[in-house]
Amino acid sequence: MTDKWNPLTTDQAQLRPAADDAEPRRSAAERYFDSPVMAKIMRDRGINNPDEAQRFFYPQLSDLHDPFLMPGMDVAVARLNEAMGAKQKILVYGDYDVDGTTAVALVYKYLLQFYSSIDYYIPGRYDDGYGISKHVIDMAADAGVKLIIILDCGIKANEEIAYAKTKGIDFIICDHHVAGAELPDAVAILNPKLEDSTYPFRHLSGCGVGFKFMQAFAASNGLPSRDLDNYLDLVAVSIAADIVPMIGENRIMTYYGLRRLNSNPNMGLRAIMRICGLTGREITLSDVIFKIGPRINASGRMQSGREAVDLLVARDAAEARAKALEIDQYNQDRKELDKQITEEAQALLEAAGDTSKKSIVMYNEDWHRGIIGIVASRLTEVYYKPAVVLTLTNGLASGSSRSVQGFDIYSAVESCEDLLENFGGHTYAVGLSMKPENIPAFTERFEKYVADHISEAQLKPLHEIDADLRFDDINLDMLHFLRRLYPFGPGNMKPVFRTSGVVNAGTSKIVGKNSEHIKLDVTNSAGQHVVHAIAFNMADKFEAIASGEPFTIVYTIEENKHHAAGYPIQLLVKEIIL
């Protein structure tokens, strides 16, 4: 790759603005927390007094909102109770990604305890496409289904749900995607993002909406809430994989879901954890994002999302292990395709050589439909531009888009709505389809919208710095404080620090199989307080570091669990600024 195509060589680092609060509140925060740095980190999260800190550090399930505050919940529960009372067949239907499959597993497995005339269905990417399809409705009608609970999709399925009504099938929609101008004619729509929604928390995952539905069902039938809480490990996996804000209810459910993952997880999740080599160690959100989630996703990407649900609702350990092994193989196949297609896409961009565009739109009818969302993410990471990647699926150019920090790609795609057959998603990720002949017009208009609305700052990676630190601020008290901020995610990101005037302590060295990393031993210019750090893929800066000249590092503070030499703290370097 040539430098002109890779803006990640920039060293942008910007101090996060202090929270806009009054001086008396700032003083109160500093009186409660151990240092001005800790006080600022908490103020940035809207926490300014001991009561707020108590709720943040020690989340309580009792602080979850009443599910009946969500508009439509009472109607949804009444219809579900009616279906069960009349012994009507129920189908639980969901998207083929992690959020959708965990949502289906949760709702199906929970209701199966009380009701046997229930089944689940996950659409195939190729056979069914995204969301609900008429032929699935036909199959459901032939099977005698009278109620479909659809999870993590359905908010734009106006035509399909109207068709279902002619077949005598009602829908309850549990979604968290942005709605269209007109809502489907469902019995009930549970979606905290609806414009007129009064629900106190807008950022639930699809599985989170399903959990709230089951909360309301349990309450209406006098069922103990603690039994439903046993399903929070599935909710935590969905929250981590779908990258929804780690605040409010999401933080509470993830906190307790991680506890469940580490004590008595879902049998299917336990089988995946064993295959990943996670047995016997603490499971973190990073494990979910980089090991557990991709394997669940691989089932829907490479084969069938139903296999992921089969795993997550398994009751037999041997069956769960067999299914987990199959899904692990799907993930290996996915990795190979991901690498191949990403390299092809980068080669095409290199050959085009046009660096002036603010966006990327790529189409190849031979690319695997299940992989192109990952490829869009890779291109966004490398080139730091909004990216759309398309392939041919059932006669349409279908694909996914990903965005850079701060840019609303949903609005960009929506501006081309007249060229599209379908689209839906979030601020940073949108799925879309169009006729192949519309790709040139879409490419032109999408680029124009991005060029008109994106800032130059958004086209460069930016490290937001929570605070400038001195090395003598980094101690066990700071490490303990950072642990209490966990779990991290959007809205509660792991704090990033900056230290200037750093010099090599004389023992830094290049490490790694291909000599690509730097193991840093650094100190300040006075030679006091040596700190240990690791800088991945930054070996090109070692010569400058070894020269003895001062430099700046941007980093997070990590616990070094393998500190044989007695150093419990290690810095994970995100940027070296020479």
Side-chain angles (χ1 to χ4, degrees), residues 346-358:
Q346 289 181 288
L348 289 171
L349 287 171
E350 289 286 353
D354 185 357
T355 61
S356 63
K357 289 186 175 180
K358 309 296 185 185

Side-chain angles (χ1 to χ4, degrees), residues 70-85:
M70 191 176 295
M73 186 65 79
D74 53 344
V75 178
V77 170
R79 181 63 185 92
L80 176 56
N81 285 333
E82 176 192 346
M84 295 173 73

Side-chain angles (χ1 to χ4, degrees), residues 29-76:
E30 290 185 3
R31 284 199 301 271
Y32 179 69
F33 299 108
D34 292 338
S35 74
V37 170
M38 295 179 188
K40 179 185 181 301
I41 289 171
M42 298 311 291
R43 287 198 314 274
D44 289 344
R45 286 154 175 75
I47 298 166
N48 295 280
N49 60 58
D51 289 340
E52 291 171 347
Q54 180 74 14
R55 287 195 297 273
F56 184 86
F57 288 139
Y58 305 102
Q60 300 297 316
L61 289 171
S62 58
D63 288 335
L64 292 176
H65 301 303
D66 180 350
F68 285 100
L69 292 175
M70 191 176 295
M73 186 65 79
D74 53 344
V75 178

Side-chain angles (χ1 to χ4, degrees), residues 7 27 29 32 58 81 274 321 376 396 421 466 480 508 511 575:
S27 299
Y32 179 69
Y58 305 102
N81 285 333
R274 284 176 176 163
R321 174 169 174 75
L396 292 176
E421 297 299 304
D466 288 86
H480 178 65
S508 298
V511 297
E575 187 67 75

Side-chain angles (χ1 to χ4, degrees), residues 80 449 516:
L80 176 56
Y449 183 95
E516 68 270 40

